[in-house]
Amino acid sequence: MKTNVGKEGVDVESIERDWNTLRRNRENRLAAACKFLGQGKFVKAEDTVALLEAVIQPYDKVAVEGDNQKQADFLSECLAVVDAARVHDLHIIQSTISLPEHVEIFEKGIAKKLDFSYSGAQSKRLAALLQARVVELGAIHTYLELYARYFVDLTPRVALLVAEKADRDGNLYTGFSTEDTPVIAEAVKFKQGIVIVQVNEITDELPRVDIPGDWVDFIVQAPRPFKIEPLFTKDPALLTDTKILKAMLAIKGIYMEYGIKTLNHGVGFDTAAIELLLPTYGEELGLKGKICTNFVLNPHPTLIPAIESGWVESVHCFGGEVGMDEYVNARSDVFFIGPDGSMRSNRVFAQAAGHYAADLFIGSTLQIDKYGNSSTAVRNRIVGFGGAPNLGCNAGGRRHVTDSWLKCGQEIPADNQLIGEAARGRKLVVQMLDTVSAKGIHGFVDQLDAVGMTKDLDLAIPPVMIYGDDVTHIISEIGIAYLHKCRSLEERMEAISSISGRNPEVNGQILAKMRRLGIVKTPEDLDIDRRRANKELLAAKSLQELVEWSGGLYKLPEKYSK
């Protein structure tokens, strides 16, 4: 212990401290793994399991790339077969739980705790493991929230990443679907962690450098190309009349009414229907150039007809989409294309753009309660939230003005304002839901299943995706509820119940009242002919027609081309 004298003459005791423990820990891990290195940073595929056992220690925080679409699948497979006596109780910090191996590591005791955003294909299996207490849940995050915590209190010790190519110096080319790679690599590397990357190919030259080699510790050439999920490919042939009707309501009752130009579409058939109606129904309404000009959006194939028809000025992408790379690269006026001639997506920048630069977020959900809260965490299925909570909320820090944003803000009743006479706009947050699903399940409920999960899973709060006070509009096939116009919680509840399809006799009376107040609008109020809500109104009625719209540039993913 050393004694120092402070500026005011007061003795200050300080303990000599080692400020480089993380760096030395990293050096020790690298030394343990150096025997697996060949030339430079490269490790043979057959040595990957042993490499992971050398550099990962029990209770480590580990980031696995697990993105929305792009998967470090070979590294995930290797992690799932490490010796659980040597590597165990890991804390996995992963945006998307997508592959079977992502949950197997919990069943085997290799991992114990999980912080994530979205689960998709593993939602039912994950729900069962959570209920069985095999998995300890930290939180279900929005993507941007999880990325932020990488730099605060959830910094991974080891990252398992994926890239298209590496050069001999270890520089990485992430290709069309960059997604989460840069943010994970930076957080881990600059906190003295270990970065391991699987690549498809090792080359002498790269089209561009997306991740510098000095951010990378080990590179493994995987035995096969990494998996990427065609998450945003929606077959127009599967669109129901109900979804087409809701799309007509969205275009005329919201997009046209507010002049929505900057927006984000969530994944799903509801928004695919909107995209396919722009060159037909939207054209009839004379809306080209007035709505839907600037998107923050994955390259949805169902957007191709609108792009080809001259509707879309720009699209910035969160990630890629299987089969869309040639089409996107050929449309550099619309997409963000680099000097190498290809797109580089970025999920973090796109999340920020969707939060602050978009006037509208619209997406589907599985449940909405009587207060307008929505969730995709339902009984026996925990899908997670992805970017919806971040994209689907009013950005309190926003200061730039658009007509859409200002108009929505001006419609909020004065007695709901807590800022006096100061003018303020409002982002439009729209949730779409069928009153009854194809499986006969009611989407509008008194209480979210998520509320029951709070006790079952020992959670501090229910896993609500979008809170009711952020939702401005709800669309069902009955009509649109303009919730932001309501003067009280009771009135909001009446508006929601009137389009819920439940208790038809009682809610029919409430619906009439809401229509008189202008808080709910039905297709009839908007002069929408329900009989026209069918596939004949779509710009493309099949995936093959989307290929034709693209001039053959869009290549159908293998799972859809059989």
Side-chain angles (χ1 to χ4, degrees), residues 386-404:
N390 176 67
L391 301 169
C393 70
N394 191 52
R398 174 173 169 165
R399 293 296 180 268
H400 74 281
V401 175
T402 61
D403 292 341
S404 306

Side-chain angles (χ1 to χ4, degrees), residues 254-256 258-265 278 287 289-297 311-316 350 352-362 391 398 400-406 426-430:
I254 298 179
Y255 291 24
M256 178 178 174
Y258 293 89
I260 299 296
K261 289 190 172 183
T262 60
L263 67 160
N264 166 254
H265 278 181
L278 292 177
L287 296 178
K290 299 177 181 178
I291 67 168
C292 297
T293 56
N294 303 89
F295 284 88
V296 185
L297 192 72
W311 280 73
V312 182
E313 294 178 9
S314 71
V315 181
H316 188 268
H355 184 57
Y356 279 108
D359 285 335
L360 174 142
F361 164 80
I362 185 168
L391 301 169
R398 174 173 169 165
H400 74 281
V401 175
T402 61
D403 292 341
S404 306
W405 180 79
L406 195 58
R426 178 80 179 206
K427 181 179 183 179
L428 285 79
V429 175
V430 185

